Amino acid sequence: MNRILRVEAGEWPKLVQFGLFGLLLQAGLGVGFAAGDAAFLAHVGSDKLPVIFVLTPPVMLIYTAAFSFLLVRFSMDRVVDVTLGLLALGGVAGWALLSAGLPPAMDHLFYYALKLYLAVWYIALYSLFWNFTDAYFDIQDAKRLFPLFSAFCALGMSLGAGVVSVFSETIPTRAFLLVWAGVAVATAPMAIVLRRRWRRIADSDADLDDDEGGVLKQLALVARTFRTSRYALMLAAMLFVTLLLTNLAEFQYATVLQKGRSEAELASLFGRLYAAASVFNLLVCLFVFNRLVTRIGVRNVALILPLTYFAAFGYFFLVGGTAAALAAFFAYHGVLTSIEYNNQNLLFNAAPSAVKRPFRTIVEGLCEPMASLLAGGFLLLFARHMDLRELSGVGVLLGAALIALATALRHFYPGAMADNMRRGWLNFADRSVAAPAFDPAASELLRQKTQEADSGVAAAARALLHARPPLAARPADPDAELSPATEAFAAKLEDPSPAARRAALQALVSVAGRGDIGLVPPLVAGLPAMDRESRAVALSLLGVIGDVDAIPQVLAAAAQLSPRELRATEAMLAGLGEPAIPRLAQALANSQASYRARSIAARALADLSYAQFLSQLDRLVSEELDATARRLATARMFEAQAEGSPALELLAHAYRGRIGEAVDFVLELLAIGGFLPDFDLLIVSLHSANPKVRGNAVEAIASGLPHATWRRLDPLINRRAGRAGAAGGAVDLIPLLEEALASGRGFEVAAAAQALAERTPPAGLAAALRPALARDLPASARESVAALLDLDGEAAVTLVDVVAELRARPEFAAASIDALTTLAERVRPEAGRRAIELAVKGRTLCLAGPDIDEAAARYPDLALTLLKATDTRAYA
């Protein structure tokens, strides 16, 4: 059942409770609509429907203003309470008036009022339910579950209409208004249960509910949205034309179906039709819509109703008669209800998040009434002079216009999703933040900070006070040799003293030029260990020297730099020009290189030769997805047998980290290739803790990629359980550990070696681990493997032991393996400034505060987990 309905484990209680809420609301509406439509057509007639269309807008304008005021002044919960109270009072009052024996003229006016009452609640209850429900689900859950809620609503409408159809011969029409009032009273407890049991989700990473302002401010924001968002404008226009066609379809089928039928016959006919349409809607919502929207996407589903209306009015135009009336009825009450309304709930998700609820309320509260006004005015003026075939021709033209609007909406949808993810972010790319203006007190404070012993604080203060201009490129001189002076400075780059290395770098700025390739090895070798200011100078020097053959070494070293320095490296490599293209392409295709290095290579290559980048894109994406799927299966096997083995647990965690990096890398490649919006925006939204923000990112990915690519990415992004995880203890891990040992990736080699040591007899351990020492490994990983072999005469603390201890601390727990490895490499027996102590295998080791700061500057995940450990705000 879960597979058929696309329901995940643990979701049934929430699904059933929200579904029952929708069922009860729609059951009452079904009772009112089936009885009210029959009463209006029997006592007034379909020729007066245009009057209702004209009168609906002013009534809805009053309702929308009241609804918006209550929504802003109180909350959605209070609006639900008020609505249910009004439904109960309205049902009782309507029954009392009809039972009072009003004079014929008053009785005639009452049926007009009843039809208007139904029109208002048809819009209002729909808007109320989805505004209320949308706050509890993100877009990805909505794509799966909202059709099921619509199925509950369709079932409720079917039950309500069925009650009228069955009892219309024995119960007076006015009594059904009392039934509707009773259903409204029964709905109130369910609404209370929902808001007490489940927690609402904020629309963005800044909770906007606390700063919505008053009604006038909301109206101003909505008006501004129409001016600034083409997507919002297209969505409103599409809804408006859809409702024009809906009103025209209602007039057409009502005119045909009312001929020759009494009030009871009409009530019975409409009861059967509404029930049949609701059964159709139930089947579509349960089994079709979520598969449809998953397969072809939200923006493509938006084309279904326009094509259906176009076909229905074309049928009316060519054939006419009862069959055409039934086709129009099912286009309205079937396709519109089961597919278009469901899809509109998802389309509204791309509306600007800051005004999504008021925007939806105003659009739904005014678009339909204004469409009714226009359709009603048109029918009042021209219906007498046009037959049904001519009106159908108007419907065909409007259907073609609706197809054009849906096509435009489809085009703007991905951009609107990206805009929504961007809202509420600080724009660190704004150039004005790089050149702040300080008052005298702040300038004096910064000058004092430059004298502090903490080099990180002093360097930051100097950078703020004195922005360094980029080094000017010197003319190329391929015949130039390394001068004796330059050679002396290059030798000092390997000096153990940081001050001596810093002085040598500053001196090289004035003497180094293009072609000084002898400087490249010491610059690249020392790059990861330099302080921040020295790294910036070294990158500039590498750009001036312009040695394209050193690109692989530069990329390997740059993988340990901060995000800002990664961008600087990318710009430096792109500045080398076309000679760099072959090396960049080679680095991009190197699966053994780090993803950070390959990311830099991809961006720089796309800058220099977009065609070269695109020529590799499909192959790279396919290879990465294949490798990541295998890695995911291996990680599950490690996790299944990791109990009691910290090394195996950390190896599985490292594999999971590699999977995340691989997915991010694939998304970055696709973003550079033009399939996805801005990568930096997309990827951080994808990793947001806010389900709505993450859901929007997933939706942007799903709507931008070919379906075959998305099917392969989907389980990796959503980390769905697979069959591989069920292998459990039946899998022999030794070959998998040996494969990890041969990978050449530092921490994975160390963790695999330690896991092998736990499973291999001492006599065979040396043979198992020695091949790893023959590879080019980082020093920390090599020392760990050597410690396991006891080559130095005594067992030592391994890299894996230190990482396990770091990960056990709350302030480091969420950091990546790369960040933890960098920290572990800086652990010392002696205490430094602001040091924290680690107890590892009975020994006390220390990690200095400046070392933590330096690592956090290079790895954003570490910086964020350090912040989160001290900041308990929901969106820190």
Side-chain angles (χ1 to χ4, degrees):
M1 183 66 72
N2 286 346
R3 284 197 303 273
I4 292 172
L5 299 181
R6 303 287 180 92
V7 179
E8 295 181 358
E11 284 185 331
W12 276 105
K14 191 174 185 179
L15 168 64
V16 170
Q17 289 175 27
F18 276 91
L20 286 176
F21 179 61
L23 183 146
L24 290 172
L25 284 177
Q26 291 299 309
L29 189 62
V31 170
F33 241 79
D37 276 0
F40 179 82
L41 292 176
H43 290 272
V44 180
S46 65
D47 59 315
K48 296 299 188 290
L49 276 175
V51 177
I52 298 299
F53 295 161
V54 171
L55 292 176
T56 300
V59 175
M60 282 306 303
L61 184 62
I62 295 170
Y63 168 80
T64 302
F67 185 87
S68 299
F69 173 79
L70 291 171
L71 189 62
V72 175
R73 178 65 180 82
F74 298 102
S75 68
M76 176 57 70
D77 297 339
R78 294 292 172 264
V79 174
V80 171
D81 294 340
V82 170
T83 298
L84 294 175
L86 290 175
L87 283 174
L89 290 174
V92 173
W95 169 81
L97 287 172
L98 278 178
S99 302
L102 297 173
M106 293 291 293
D107 191 54
H108 197 70
L109 289 175
F110 177 81
Y111 286 108
Y112 277 101
L114 177 62
K115 182 62 177 173
L116 285 172
Y117 181 80
L118 292 173
V120 168
W121 286 122
Y122 181 77
I123 303 169
L125 291 182
Y126 175 86
S127 182
L128 178 84
F129 175 74
W130 292 111
N131 263 315
F132 178 78
T133 304
D134 180 69
Y136 293 87
F137 298 90
D138 64 69
I139 179 92
Q140 296 308 306
D141 290 338
K143 287 168 72 172
R144 293 183 301 101
L145 301 181
F146 278 16
L148 302 182
F149 296 150
S150 294
F152 275 98
C153 293
L155 180 60
M157 178 69 80
S158 180
L159 290 174
V163 167
V164 175
S165 179
V166 171
F167 296 102
S168 59
E169 299 289 345
T170 56
I171 298 178
T173 302
R174 61 179 179 271
F176 289 113
L177 295 176
L178 276 181
V179 175
W180 190 2
V183 173
V185 172
T187 309
M190 181 57 65
I192 295 171
V193 168
L194 289 176
R195 58 183 183 246
R196 288 182 178 176
R197 173 78 184 276
W198 307 107
R199 182 181 178 184
R200 296 175 64 222
I201 305 173
D203 286 322
S204 73
D205 275 340
D207 194 349
L208 301 170
D209 290 345
D210 296 333
D211 190 30
E212 287 191 339
V215 176
L216 294 178
K217 181 180 178 182
Q218 289 292 295
L219 290 174
L221 287 173
V222 172
R224 182 175 177 273
T225 297
F226 282 118
R227 293 196 307 271
T228 58
S229 173
R230 288 180 292 179
Y231 176 82
L233 188 61
M234 286 296 157
L235 180 58
M238 182 178 166
L239 294 179
F240 183 79
V241 177
T242 298
L243 295 166
L244 282 178
L245 283 165
T246 300
N247 286 325
L248 187 57
E250 183 180 9
F251 178 82
Q252 295 272 78
Y253 76 67
T255 301
V256 173
L257 295 179
Q258 77 157 4
K259 292 180 181 179
R261 291 182 173 88
S262 65
E263 178 180 358
E265 290 172 334
L266 283 172
S268 178
L269 173 64
F270 278 109
R272 292 196 301 272
L273 287 177
Y274 279 121
S278 296
V279 170
F280 169 82
N281 295 339
L282 183 65
L283 294 174
V284 171
C285 292
L286 283 177
F287 307 113
V288 177
F289 181 81
N290 53 13
R291 288 166 173 78
L292 187 68
V293 77
T294 302
R295 180 64 180 85
I296 68 174
V298 173
R299 56 182 183 152
N300 292 322
V301 172
L303 289 166
I304 292 177
L305 181 72
L307 293 171
T308 303
Y309 267 152
F310 185 80
F313 279 102
Y315 187 29
F316 237 125
F317 181 79
L318 296 173
V319 180
T322 302
L326 294 176
F329 180 91
F330 275 93
Y332 175 4
H333 295 284
V335 178
L336 176 69
T337 303
S338 62
I339 293 180
E340 179 63 15
Y341 283 166
N342 276 326
N343 203 52
Q344 283 178 14
N345 292 323
L346 305 177
L347 290 172
F348 271 112
N349 186 74
S353 57
V355 292
K356 183 166 67 176
R357 279 188 285 277
F359 172 77
R360 178 169 188 162
T361 299
I362 290 171
V363 168
E364 290 183 339
L366 294 181
C367 261
E368 182 156 348
M370 294 305 296
S372 296
L373 176 63
L374 184 59
F378 172 80
L379 291 172
L380 282 174
L381 292 174
F382 298 105
R384 297 177 183 177
H385 311 294
M386 301 173 70
D387 59 23
L388 290 180
R389 185 172 182 275
E390 291 172 322
L391 288 174
S392 300
V394 175
V396 170
L397 294 176
L398 286 174
L402 186 60
I403 292 173
L405 287 170
T407 303
L409 188 78
R410 180 187 180 280
H411 171 72
F412 292 124
Y413 179 77
M417 295 297 297
D419 289 341
N420 248 3
M421 288 186 288
R422 189 175 292 112
R423 283 185 175 87
W425 282 48
L426 295 176
N427 184 11
F428 290 110
D430 186 352
R431 293 185 181 277
S432 64
V433 303
F438 300 107
D439 58 32
S443 298
E444 178 59 31
L445 180 60
L446 285 172
R447 278 191 287 272
Q448 294 174 11
K449 291 293 183 182
T450 61
Q451 307 302 318
E452 288 191 6
D454 188 326
S455 60
V457 173
R462 282 195 298 273
L464 288 169
L465 282 172
H466 311 291
R468 293 178 59 88
L471 290 171
R474 294 172 173 78
D477 185 5
D479 298 324
E481 295 183 1
L482 204 62
S483 67
T486 306
E487 202 169 298
F489 287 127
K492 291 183 179 179
L493 290 177
E494 300 176 359
D495 193 291
S497 167
R501 294 197 302 267
R502 195 178 302 116
L505 273 174
Q506 295 295 340
L508 283 172
V509 168
S510 60
V511 298
R514 187 171 295 275
D516 285 335
I517 59 175
L519 291 174
V520 172
L523 282 173
V524 171
L527 192 61
M530 295 176 184
D531 60 46
R532 198 176 312 175
E533 194 172 359
S534 298
R535 290 197 299 269
V537 176
L539 288 173
S540 298
L541 284 170
L542 289 170
V544 169
I545 295 168
D547 181 15
V548 295
D549 289 329
I551 286 177
Q553 292 76 28
V554 171
L555 288 172
Q560 301 181 52
L561 303 183
S562 71
R564 179 182 292 273
E565 291 160 349
L566 293 177
R567 290 292 187 264
T569 305
E570 171 199 330
M572 181 269 290
L573 294 175
L576 298 180
E578 292 184 358
I581 290 175
R583 287 293 192 180
L584 289 171
Q586 180 186 21
L588 176 59
N590 181 12
S591 61
Q592 296 301 311
S594 72
Y595 284 117
R596 276 186 162 195
R598 297 176 73 189
S599 170
I600 301 169
R603 288 176 176 269
L605 179 61
D607 283 346
L608 289 173
S609 176
Y610 194 65
Q612 288 279 354
F613 171 79
L614 286 181
S615 70
Q616 300 192 53
L617 180 59
D618 290 342
R619 177 181 57 80
L620 286 171
V621 168
S622 181
E623 288 176 355
E624 282 300 320
L625 291 179
D626 288 341
T628 303
R630 292 193 298 269
R631 198 176 292 130
L632 181 60
T634 303
R636 288 170 177 158
M637 294 175 191
F638 287 156
E639 289 168 344
Q641 301 187 44
E643 187 175 358
S645 173
L648 198 56
E649 180 183 351
L650 285 173
L651 182 59
H653 184 65
Y655 267 63
R656 287 284 185 179
R658 290 277 296 170
I659 292 166
E661 290 176 5
V663 171
D664 292 355
F665 178 63
V666 167
L667 294 177
E668 184 169 19
L669 292 178
L670 292 167
I672 297 171
F675 290 95
L676 300 176
D678 176 71
F679 169 73
D680 294 311
L681 167 70
L682 177 70
I683 206 64
V684 184
S685 299
L686 186 64
H687 291 286
S688 172
N690 184 328
K692 290 249 182 188
V693 175
R694 186 181 187 280
N696 287 344
V698 174
E699 176 63 14
I701 297 168
S703 64
L705 297 181
H707 183 68
T709 305
W710 169 242
R711 283 186 63 186
R712 300 178 70 188
L713 261 175
D714 182 20
L716 298 174
I717 289 175
N718 292 306
R719 304 292 175 90
R720 295 195 182 95
R723 294 181 181 179
V731 177
D732 181 11
L733 295 185
I734 299 299
L736 298 177
L737 292 173
E738 290 175 345
E739 181 182 342
L741 199 67
S743 68
R745 299 184 186 98
F747 182 81
E748 291 179 21
V749 171
Q754 192 152 328
L756 271 173
E758 297 168 354
R759 289 166 169 75
T760 304
L765 183 60
L769 299 189
R770 283 186 191 280
L773 294 175
R775 303 185 65 89
D776 184 17
L777 289 177
S780 58
R782 180 177 293 276
E783 290 169 3
S784 288
V785 177
L788 293 170
L789 292 171
D790 197 20
L791 297 181
D792 298 327
E794 62 176 79
V797 172
T798 66
L799 176 67
V800 177
D801 298 329
V802 179
V803 169
E805 177 62 24
L806 287 170
R807 192 162 176 254
R809 299 178 68 97
E811 65 268 36
F812 301 127
S816 65
I817 286 293
D818 286 344
L820 293 175
T821 301
T822 300
L823 287 176
E825 290 170 346
R826 295 167 181 262
V827 167
R828 300 288 183 269
E830 64 279 358
R833 289 186 296 112
R834 297 186 286 115
I836 62 171
E837 293 186 351
L838 305 172
V840 186
K841 287 189 173 180
R843 298 176 57 183
T844 299
L845 301 175
C846 297
L847 183 59
D851 287 336
I852 298 174
D853 297 341
E854 179 62 27
R858 303 186 188 197
Y859 295 96
D861 55 278
L862 176 59
L864 288 170
T865 191
L866 289 170
L867 170 65
K868 188 61 179 173
T870 58
D871 194 330
T872 58
R873 289 176 296 174
Y875 299 104

